[in-house]
Amino acid sequence: MTSSETSSVLDLAPVVPVVVVEDVADAVPLARALVAGGLPAIEVTLRTPVALDAIRAIAAEVPDAVVGAGTVISPANVADSVAAGARFLVSPGWTDTLLDAMKGSGVPFLPGVSTTSEVVALLERGVSEMKFFPAEAAGGTAYLKSLAGPLPQARFCPTGGVSPANAPAYLALKNVGCVGGSWMLPGDAVAAKDWARVETLAREAAALRR
């Protein structure tokens, strides 16, 4: 799958960087460093006032990036994110209202789950790709492994407590398509605008593919 084909977020790269942009001026160089390191799918979380502007800038200036919006928790977030250029959506959890908005957005999405019932409910609604969050706190690899038997059709992007140390164990699971994390964006590197270091860490993360 190429970065221009976003029918499945799970197949773009082994790791989806989860990015919190505090300064919109960092958005484009940060995205370029991640893409250069082999991580084209970039989740910009809607946790800061400049998040939508960051998505807009990356969408306009980094053509090889597949920029998405994270921490999507309302229909307004969905509409604003897509209008800004987001090519996928990620939520920490879901409700029927939010799911309807994401389904109607026209872009791929990963609704968040942390229980078996939530997974079954999404499958019932025709959704088989989801975010598992908070991954480590909700049971980690052991939990996901136990879901593979009864619910083999569900595929996950575990996020929350995922690190270079445990990412390979997640990626080895047959029901995991990719993982989400922010370890390739250490605060000191971003503060120093050390994009070369970000690129190096991204390249190491990209090499975690099974």
Side-chain angles (χ1 to χ4, degrees):
M1 173 177 261
T2 68
S3 59
S4 63
E5 299 168 330
T6 47
S7 58
S8 174
V9 183
L10 299 183
D11 297 325
L12 284 170
V15 179
V16 175
V18 179
V19 181
V20 179
V21 179
E22 303 284 355
D23 181 352
V24 72
D26 292 340
V28 168
L30 184 154
R32 284 180 177 147
L34 292 172
V35 170
L39 301 180
I42 301 169
E43 176 190 335
V44 177
T45 65
L46 302 183
R47 299 181 198 173
T48 65
V50 302
L52 290 170
D53 288 333
I55 290 171
R56 203 170 284 114
I58 294 168
E61 299 182 48
V62 193
D64 291 333
V66 180
V67 64
T71 323
V72 173
I73 58 171
S74 70
N77 286 163
V78 172
D80 291 344
S81 298
V82 174
R87 292 168 61 186
F88 65 91
L89 306 169
V90 184
S91 69
W94 67 278
T95 64
D96 286 328
T97 300
L98 179 58
L99 188 66
D100 287 342
M102 290 195 293
K103 281 185 128 182
S105 69
V107 300
F109 57 92
L110 295 175
V113 296
S114 60
T115 69
T116 307
S117 294
E118 290 170 320
V119 176
V120 172
L122 281 178
L123 292 173
E124 197 174 77
R125 295 285 304 269
V127 178
S128 60
E129 298 189 344
M130 43 201 91
K131 170 178 175 170
F132 179 54
F133 176 83
E136 282 293 283
T141 53
Y143 193 93
L144 286 174
K145 196 177 296 183
S146 69
L147 291 182
L151 302 169
Q153 62 273 59
R155 293 179 73 216
F156 303 94
C157 173
T159 306
V162 180
S163 68
N166 60 21
Y170 279 105
L171 290 167
L173 300 177
K174 60 186 177 183
N175 58 351
V176 169
C178 64
V179 298
S182 55
W183 70 84
M184 70 297 299
L185 297 158
D188 57 342
V190 175
K193 304 191 188 302
D194 187 352
W195 309 125
R197 183 176 167 206
V198 170
E199 181 180 336
T200 297
L201 291 170
R203 187 169 288 108
E204 291 169 0
L208 293 172
R209 185 180 293 283
R210 284 161 288 182

